[in-house]
Amino acid sequence: MRRLFVTAGLAVSLTAAAAHAQPVETFDRKSNGEWVYEYKDGRSDVKRERKPGEYKEEIKHRDGVSKFERKADGSWKEEIKDGRCETKRERTSGGEYKEERKCG
C-alpha cells in the first residue's frame, strides 16, 4: 500500500512539473530591417523592437519593468522600475545627460 502512495505521489509531481509554463519565443522579421522579438517564460517578459533608426526594449519581471529606447539622432532614454524605486536616465542628441531617482 505504501508503494502505491509513493508511486502516485511521484506521478503527480511529474505531471505538475510538465504542466509548468513552457517558454514562448517569437521572432517576426518585417521589411527594411524591421523586426520584433518576444520571449515569455512565466517569470519575465522580454520584447525587443527594431525599426530603421530606432530601437526599443522592454523587460518585465516580478518586481518591476525596465525600458530602453534609442533613436537615430543618438539620443536614448532608459526607465527602470524595481519595487518601489524608479530610475530615469536620458541623453539628448546634443550630449546632455540627465538622471533622476525616486524611491517611495
Side-chain angles (χ1 to χ4, degrees), residues 26-65:
T26 60
F27 184 80
D28 183 23
R29 184 178 300 271
K30 300 177 181 180
S31 63
N32 299 331
E34 294 183 24
W35 51 264
V36 177
Y37 168 80
E38 293 186 58
Y39 178 82
K40 298 179 183 182
D41 66 358
R43 291 181 292 158
S44 63
D45 296 348
V46 177
K47 182 176 183 180
R48 294 182 175 111
E49 187 173 351
R50 169 88 161 82
K51 295 180 182 177
E54 190 174 313
Y55 175 78
K56 293 182 183 180
E57 178 176 271
E58 182 174 359
I59 301 173
K60 296 179 184 177
H61 49 86
R62 182 184 314 152
D63 294 334
V65 176

Side-chain angles (χ1 to χ4, degrees), residues 3-39:
R3 218 177 237 174
L4 177 65
F5 286 124
V6 171
T7 306
L10 183 61
V12 168
S13 65
L14 289 175
T15 304
H20 184 67
Q22 296 294 319
V24 176
E25 185 174 33
T26 60
F27 184 80
D28 183 23
R29 184 178 300 271
K30 300 177 181 180
S31 63
N32 299 331
E34 294 183 24
W35 51 264
V36 177
Y37 168 80
E38 293 186 58
Y39 178 82

